[in-house]
Amino acid sequence: MQSDPMEPLAAKAPFSARVTSLIAGHLERGRVGVEAVASQLHMSRHTLHKRLKEENLTFAALLEEIRRERALAYLKDRSKSLVEIAEQLGFSELSAFSRAFKRWMGKSPGAYRSRAA
């Protein structure tokens, strides 16, 4: 089956890539929720979860991966405080970010930042 060259690129991308892009956009504006992303995709929360499950993914896993990648990048910028980074990643407080970071990297954000120096 040959693909139609006029088919939009977004339609060819995996569904999870579209969700990841929306999650990233929401994170830049503050907190991100599954309902908001599902609404942007014109589907229910249930359908969103079902479509991600077809790719063996979850919304939470995609959100966590984006947060982890951004945390590592943000920590390189020493002008950003840990509280500021936590807020930019949509965490309610620094302690929640610190717990998540320790789960991802095996050390606290502060310890990671000082080792990276």
Side-chain angles (χ1 to χ4, degrees):
M1 181 173 143
Q2 194 132 20
S3 68
D4 179 356
M6 300 307 285
E7 185 179 4
L9 203 55
K12 294 179 184 179
F15 180 71
S16 58
R18 292 171 55 205
V19 174
T20 298
S21 175
L22 289 172
I23 290 171
H26 279 269
L27 263 182
E28 289 172 10
R29 295 186 298 277
R31 288 192 164 184
V32 59
V34 66
E35 294 289 347
V37 172
S39 174
Q40 276 193 282
L41 291 167
H42 307 289
M43 62 181 61
S44 70
R45 175 186 183 141
H46 175 77
T47 302
L48 173 72
H49 284 298
K50 193 169 107 181
R51 294 274 310 270
L52 287 173
K53 190 175 182 177
E54 290 170 4
E55 294 183 41
N56 295 316
L57 293 167
T58 65
F59 184 86
L62 291 176
L63 175 58
E64 185 149 312
E65 179 60 21
I66 293 167
R67 282 176 160 172
R68 187 186 68 78
E69 288 172 2
R70 288 197 174 177
L72 294 173
Y74 292 165
L75 283 168
K76 291 177 184 172
D77 180 356
R78 294 196 167 274
S79 70
K80 290 184 188 222
S81 72
L82 294 180
V83 170
E84 196 177 347
I85 292 170
E87 287 174 357
Q88 288 180 323
L89 295 174
F91 286 97
S92 56
E93 37 188 71
L94 178 58
S95 61
F97 168 57
S98 294
R99 280 191 305 276
F101 193 88
K102 195 164 189 168
R103 186 175 65 247
W104 302 329
M105 304 305 295
K107 59 182 85 171
S108 72
Y112 181 88
R113 181 180 256 179
S114 56
R115 283 254 171 107

